[in-house]
Amino acid sequence: MTTLMTINALDLYRRDTTADLARYAAVEDLIRQEDPDVIAVQEIIADGPDSTAKRPGAVRGLRRLADAVQRRCDVDGQPAVAVGGIMHHTGLLWRDGIHPVPDSLHRLTRDDAGMWHCAVSVVLDLGGARLRVGSVQLSPFDLTWAAMDVAQVLRVFNTGDVPGLVGGDWNCLGGDPDYDPDPYQDAPWHPDHVYQLTDTGEVDRRPARRLEARHLGRMRDCARLAGVDWAATTGHHPTDHHPPRRVDRWYATHHLPDNTITGLRTISADRVATITDHLPVIVDIDDRTLPRT
């Protein structure tokens, strides 16, 4: 059994004030309590005029988290971090005993892929079974751009025969309105809502539909594979002006066996409180179902 967590850590390591350090420590402690084997993290913060200037801070942030939660993050001596187009960066960490496959690190950044934020993936050897794992963050402001970013993610995860799981902050609802109903129809208006809606006022599901449609990406939502009830991952934080939404998700590629996913849960808002504005999502897999090398 292997467990994977996705966590948007809300401006992780942006400032080292007393209050911020206490919040970072609480995020690190939450991860240690859950003790996942693999961690997909979003919103490691590093700013600068260009990607070259931002990269050292993104690397420091990933390694700082890796040290705090006692995980590894290097592939061929390179950190599994992708530099975002603004100041939000994504990374991957894994437990001792899990081995990254050489030459499998793939970064999707603003410079090389035109990403709004970024994504990073690596093939992990889980003891003879190989799994490509990714961490992604899409645009919260431009879902046309997010739909283009999804195509880049699909290009990585649907290439080759290694099955994959990609988790992250997709910043949009899922493609199925029966499972992810439109939360805006009865919500009081707020200017932030415009970024999630079409010109006629419905939820813009284009990124998720490109991921999920059988004639397009064929990604499967792990919450659906696990058969769990819907659970919001945002809406609990005082700075979030949206109604409760499920924007943090794990997706399985078309070639991951259905019975690989054995469970999925969202950490409760009571536990997370205000240490981050996203609730982490944990997926459990039976790696014995994966193709063996």
Side-chain angles (χ1 to χ4, degrees):
M1 186 73 71
T2 301
T3 62
L4 304 93
M5 170 191 280
T6 180
I7 178 170
N8 179 319
L10 181 60
D11 291 351
L12 189 63
Y13 306 136
R14 184 175 187 176
R15 294 176 294 266
D16 281 351
T17 67
T18 300
D20 287 321
L21 288 171
R23 186 177 68 82
Y24 305 152
V27 169
E28 296 160 357
D29 189 52
L30 180 65
I31 295 172
R32 286 192 295 267
Q33 289 174 29
E34 293 298 327
D35 198 29
D37 299 299
V38 180
I39 304 154
V41 61
Q42 302 90 45
E43 289 206 19
I44 301 168
I45 300 298
D47 206 356
D50 53 36
S51 60
T52 300
K54 287 183 276 195
R55 180 170 172 76
V59 170
R60 283 194 302 272
L62 182 67
R63 290 191 166 144
R64 179 173 170 180
L65 181 61
D67 289 344
V69 301
Q70 297 184 318
R71 294 293 183 269
R72 296 191 177 277
C73 63
D74 285 320
V75 185
D76 307 319
Q78 295 295 313
V81 66
V83 175
I86 307 175
M87 62 179 179
H88 303 83
H89 316 297
T90 60
L92 288 166
L93 306 97
W94 51 88
R95 185 189 302 281
D96 254 342
I98 294 175
H99 302 287
V101 173
D103 298 319
S104 69
L105 178 62
H106 197 118
R107 304 180 183 94
L108 293 172
T109 68
R110 179 72 63 89
D111 289 348
D112 66 359
M115 296 283 285
W116 178 278
H117 285 312
C118 57
V120 60
S121 73
V122 64
V123 178
L124 297 175
D125 187 325
L126 305 176
R130 291 189 173 184
L131 178 72
R132 180 173 288 280
V133 180
S135 176
V136 64
Q137 186 175 13
L138 299 187
S139 169
F141 303 121
D142 188 334
L143 295 193
T144 298
W145 196 319
M148 293 189 295
D149 286 352
V150 159
Q152 299 281 23
V153 174
L154 291 170
R155 176 171 61 88
V156 174
F157 276 82
N158 281 345
T159 298
D161 57 3
V162 178
L165 287 170
V166 55
D169 172 8
W170 300 91
N171 266 317
C172 64
L173 267 63
D176 184 352
D178 291 330
Y179 193 75
D180 279 300
D182 184 341
Y184 292 96
Q185 294 306 306
D186 298 319
W189 180 86
H190 190 279
D192 287 357
H193 298 177
V194 67
Y195 307 115
Q196 291 286 308
L197 303 177
T198 68
D199 290 347
T200 53
E202 294 84 25
V203 166
D204 190 339
R205 300 181 190 266
R206 284 176 298 163
R209 284 176 172 154
R210 178 169 281 190
L211 280 169
E212 300 170 18
R214 287 193 59 79
H215 63 289
L216 296 173
R218 289 200 175 187
M219 288 276 192
R220 279 88 48 73
D221 187 330
C222 291
R224 308 301 301 277
L225 290 177
V228 299
D229 291 338
W230 183 91
T233 66
T234 60
H236 64 283
H237 197 276
T239 63
D240 188 345
H241 303 297
H242 295 273
R245 301 174 298 154
R246 188 181 69 104
V247 300
D248 303 84
R249 301 189 291 278
W250 278 103
Y251 280 103
T253 59
H254 66 93
H255 37 24
L256 186 105
D258 288 0
N259 62 346
T260 300
I261 307 300
T262 61
L264 182 141
R265 62 191 175 87
T266 301
I267 297 178
S268 72
D270 288 344
R271 287 188 61 200
V272 174
T274 58
I275 65 172
T276 177
D277 56 348
H278 290 250
L279 304 180
V281 180
I282 297 175
V283 64
D284 301 317
I285 68 169
D286 182 353
D287 43 71
R288 295 172 301 178
T289 65
L290 298 173
R292 315 301 287 184
T293 58

